Amino acid sequence: MQVWPGHAYPLGANYDGAGTNFAVFSEAAERVELCLLHEDGSETAVELRESDGFVRHAYLPGVLPGQRYGFRVHGPYTPESGRRCNSAKLLLDPYAKAVSGAVDWNEAVYGYHFGDPERRNDLDSAPHTMTSVVINPYFDWGDDRSPRTDYHHTVLYEAHVKGLTMLHPELPGELRGTYAALAHPAVIGHLTDLGVTALELMPVHQFVTDHRLADQGLVNYWGYNTIGFFAPHNAYASWGECGEQVQEFKHAVRALHQAGIEVILDVVYNHTAEGNHLGPTLSFRGLDNASYYRLAEDPRYYTDTTGTGNSLLMRSPHVLQLIMDSLRYWVTEMHVDGFRFDLAATLARQFHEVDRLSSFFDLVQQDPVVSRVKLIAEPWDVGEGGYQVGNFPPLWTEWNGRYRDTVRDLWRGEPRTLAEFGSRLTGSSDLYQDDGRRPLASINFVTCHDGFTLRDLVSYDEKHNEANGEGNSDGESHNRSWNCGAEGESDDPGILALRRRQQRNFIATLLLSQGVPMLGHGDEFGRTQRGNNNAYCQDSPLTWVRWPGGMPAGADGEEAGAEGPDQALCEFVRTMVWLRRDHPVFRRRRFFHGRPSEGTRDELSDIAWFTPEGEEMSPGNWQEAQAGSLTVFLNGDAISEPGERGERITDDSFLLLFNAESKPLDFVIPADHGSEWELLVNTAEESVHAAGDRPTVPAAARLPLPPRTMAVLRRPR
């Protein structure tokens, strides 16, 4: 076999049409072998003798796409000094573009970590672990272009590749649960009809099910356990796993783009699947443990701000390079449109504290590729000072956990909620205005993958996670939920009607709030997980979306609950999404001023707040302990921001009436904000009024609203 010197950059395995260049970083290694794996289980070892800046490299002519490979690192195994080299371990390439196989959880993978260093070199992990794969980088993108949807037009839809598509009755069986399913017209048609502009995919980087779950017969379903930051997860591929998954993912992105839908990836750069000091050696730990991970004061152990066993070392230039190279790769080569960063506060920890100006954010800010896509932070981690909602740099948007909590509290009747609700409804200026950001910095959500589904939020007071095998001790215990009078499934018509109304309340509030709304997959159909608020390990109909049209042949739907998809709720969600899309007053790019705007046709403020009696809200009204009702006036003639061509934007004006109290209320329509109003939405009703069938309400009239009901009224221009 010919072995040429090759190049130290780019890292990973890079095929050029004639051969492949291999490059891997390890400062700890004394010697690194590239191992080419063959179908009969044998391997050919090639020592990487060339080294530049601790990057070992070689070029191998004739090595083609589909070739499986790994690295063996010879060096010190001295955990007491933070070094864990072990040549018995076949290691994944941190820059692998594709991964083949899965971890076989037996002693060959992790046995030597249990304090028996004499045995560590007797174990050969090649048959028991995953292997890296050389890929063909060429793909016909045609005229593919990113939709580049502005944030004020964006509607996010968080989804799981398998969970969204596994039970769709119109999909061929071999496509369900795969990247190819995302490209199917039946799935794309639902998203476009719903009005979704961006699909936010739960982790698709190659991840691992840890041995604790495997021993219990469970899996890491959510995927927040990454081991390959460049490789699409191979289990979601329908065509094969020796590079075919890359082509399949690109095909899905291209199809979604053709429909005008952006693809945003939920990425986990805060930790890896190698876990704590008892975890497996799969890649980074065996290559250079101290360069990749934050080690504790005793370097045998890891500093953990993620709750997963380890945290990546964000002050290491090699970790920063890895992350930035990964982000650029997914944008330039895979054509994704943005990222949601899991536990993003950990990315800000250069030392111990969370630092807004850490190196990672500096690198993102100046990067000509990454800085131009959507960047969404989950602005917290489990470390000290880790809750950082509102504190990320101006380039970033954030999952607004305070929005979620406040909206839940309002509709379940929590006292002293009204004042904060007003802030959340109008874009959370208290969080984002001081640093120059706008309402669109707030990613608003009521539910997401982590916690109750929308239906379960109104059906359970307590979590029911017994199936996870942790004695119901896992998951959040303070859910801000309300079961509407009975825990779990019920056949009481009154309770069921209230639950449906509460779901409509949450959806209407979300879609008509300033900021960027995010829906959770299946919430439009009333998906249930039977009270499991931490279904990270449940890969079954319990977590899969049930679609209209019945279950696919052979599918067991019992776990998903007795009721089928709620198509009336889906239609309500669709109507609210399109109401938002049609009216810029609900998706302002600037905060309200609370005063009249220049050039308007009237003297009315851009926003006004009223009590149910039609009187302007006073400071005392906002602070009343039991207050849970108000009227909000949105002046469509006072948006005061230019359109895309510089024209002045105007819109219809709206009244939003909120009765989150447990009693019926008569709302007096403000007397001086319009002579007549058209009733569009009343969440006490199952459906939205169609055009031509909408009641009108005159100024100063009383509009009765039942308990826990929201209404939307429009005054045409």
Side-chain angles (χ1 to χ4, degrees), residues 64 141 147 348 447 575 646 706:
L64 306 178
W141 283 105
T447 59
T575 301

Side-chain angles (χ1 to χ4, degrees), residues 320-356:
L320 292 170
Q321 180 186 9
L322 172 79
I323 295 174
M324 296 306 298
D325 285 350
S326 170
L327 292 170
R328 279 190 294 268
Y329 173 79
W330 284 95
V331 175
T332 59
E333 298 298 321
M334 308 296 266
H335 285 207
V336 304
D337 306 284
F339 306 94
R340 178 266 188 188
F341 292 80
D342 179 67
L343 300 182
T346 293
L347 302 177
R349 293 182 184 272
Q350 282 189 277
F351 298 95
H352 171 73
E353 69 285 353
V354 177
D355 179 7
R356 271 183 73 188

Side-chain angles (χ1 to χ4, degrees), residues 25 64 97 101 170 221 240 250 263 332 356 377 401 410 423 474 479 493 526 529 554 566 574 630:
F25 162 77
L64 306 178
K97 308 300 193 305
E170 297 181 35
Y221 170 69
K250 290 179 177 179
V263 178
T332 59
R356 271 183 73 188
L410 177 83
S423 179
D474 63 303
N479 294 284
Q529 292 177 169
D566 187 339
R574 189 191 72 82
L630 79 162

Side-chain angles (χ1 to χ4, degrees), residues 173 268 354 391 416 422 424 428 542 606 659 702:
V268 189
V354 177
N391 290 331
R416 302 190 185 280
R424 304 299 152 242
S428 296
L542 181 71
D606 56 2
N659 180 14
R702 290 183 174 272

